[in-house]
Amino acid sequence: MWIYRRLAKISWKDKKTNQEVCEHLVTRRELVNTIKTRKIKYFGHMKRHASFLKDVLEGKIEGSRPMGRQRRRWIDDITEWTEKDIHQCTVEAQDRAKWKSVSSQPLEQGRHRE
């Protein structure tokens, strides 16, 4: 964001939020959406191939869970962004064309897909 502030000649002392800077330059923040899209595409790739990574993704670790809040799982992001359960995502990932349409949908910022 510092480059956007530099282009618009907005100082950090002006107390402008990053959102206001983006609106001033009529631009959007693309990096987060790019990361999410790539993560969804990689999930489909892993589900189509029998590999060690697939076993790690689906596997459960034996033993007790540490105390505290439960950690965010990788699969939780996929189910939240696609708004489908894990079984439905797995079935759709087996069909490359169908999963490509799921992963190429624009991630709208108004929903949980941000």
Side-chain angles (χ1 to χ4, degrees):
M1 289 303 302
W2 67 269
I3 192 71
Y4 289 151
R5 289 178 181 274
R6 195 99 186 254
L7 287 171
K9 296 182 180 177
I10 299 173
S11 171
W12 290 103
K13 296 175 186 177
D14 292 342
K15 303 284 186 189
K16 297 277 186 183
T17 64
N18 289 340
Q19 186 66 32
E20 291 171 344
V21 172
C22 286
E23 289 171 2
H24 178 73
L25 292 174
V26 190
T27 185
R28 294 185 301 158
R29 297 176 80 175
E30 294 287 331
L31 182 61
V32 175
N33 286 341
T34 303
I35 291 170
K36 289 177 183 181
T37 302
R38 288 183 182 183
K39 194 170 180 179
I40 291 170
K41 286 181 180 180
Y42 188 63
F43 174 80
H45 173 77
M46 284 184 9
K47 285 297 188 172
R48 281 190 298 276
H49 297 85
S51 68
F52 177 70
L53 290 175
K54 183 178 176 183
D55 295 338
V56 169
L57 179 70
E58 296 174 348
K60 301 255 182 200
I61 298 172
E62 294 182 16
S64 61
R65 187 176 68 79
M67 290 181 58
R69 188 179 74 183
Q70 199 169 16
R71 288 190 175 169
R72 181 112 178 126
R73 296 181 307 165
W74 200 79
I75 293 178
D76 294 338
D77 290 337
I78 303 298
T79 56
E80 181 180 320
W81 296 334
T82 59
E83 297 175 344
K84 300 174 183 180
D85 64 348
I86 190 63
H87 178 70
Q88 194 174 7
C89 287
T90 302
V91 170
E92 287 187 10
Q94 296 302 322
D95 181 13
R96 183 181 298 230
K98 188 181 262 188
W99 191 250
K100 189 171 184 177
S101 69
V102 169
S103 64
S104 65
Q105 290 175 354
L107 298 171
E108 299 169 9
Q109 291 186 343
R111 300 187 326 201
H112 293 288
R113 302 176 90 178
E114 185 178 320

